[in-house]
Amino acid sequence: MRSGPEFRVRRVYDSPEPADGRRVLVDRLWPRGLSKERAAVDEWLKDATPSGDLRTAYHAGRLDFAAFRARYEEELAAPEAAAAVDRLLVLARDSAVTLVTAVKDPEHSHVPVLVGHLRRRGG
């Protein structure tokens, strides 16, 4: 029996693995040059991602990571984002969920913030 939701993180460009469970794309934009077949995603939850304005400000260097994290956490409380988070938690009840992303450095992106939020919400 699992103790809480299990979320893995992988790049969407990596080949799917059986241990991935459900593969959910957590990027606002579709990955450049990648077909839907090759991406092998089960769902695409754009509403669980940072807004375009927040993403742009962070990538332009107008926000440091701490400010980005705080603003993204605020966005995750909005109704659309909260519904996407709830969907991820429902998926994780029965199997592993792999959050897939096109970012080059997932460790320094929105994904760890999202995973932390999911773990706090999921118990």
Side-chain angles (χ1 to χ4, degrees):
M1 186 163 178
R2 296 176 331 130
S3 61
E6 179 184 346
F7 295 99
R8 298 178 69 198
V9 175
R10 301 191 64 221
R11 292 198 70 226
V12 70
Y13 299 105
D14 297 336
S15 297
E17 296 177 354
D20 286 350
R22 300 290 301 251
R23 289 171 54 93
V24 180
L25 181 63
V26 290
D27 288 337
R28 188 153 298 268
L29 305 175
W30 186 262
R32 187 174 299 178
L34 191 65
S35 69
K36 290 185 179 182
E37 293 76 28
R38 184 158 179 277
V41 297
D42 296 300
E43 294 193 40
W44 182 13
L45 294 178
K46 294 182 226 179
D47 288 335
T49 67
S51 66
D53 289 344
L54 179 56
R55 191 171 40 83
T56 299
Y58 179 58
H59 291 298
R62 294 192 304 268
L63 295 174
D64 64 13
F65 191 73
F68 168 78
R69 175 190 307 270
R71 288 197 33 205
Y72 181 34
E73 287 277 357
E74 289 175 8
E75 289 186 355
L76 286 170
E80 298 85 10
V85 166
D86 288 344
R87 176 65 184 149
L88 287 167
L89 292 171
V90 166
L91 291 173
R93 285 182 191 158
D94 298 322
S95 70
V97 172
T98 298
L99 306 177
V100 293
T101 180
V103 299
K104 293 180 182 176
D105 185 8
E107 303 250 340
H108 298 99
S109 72
H110 69 286
V111 181
V113 180
L114 177 59
V115 169
H117 185 80
L118 288 164
R119 289 188 175 140
R120 284 190 300 280
R121 286 275 319 275

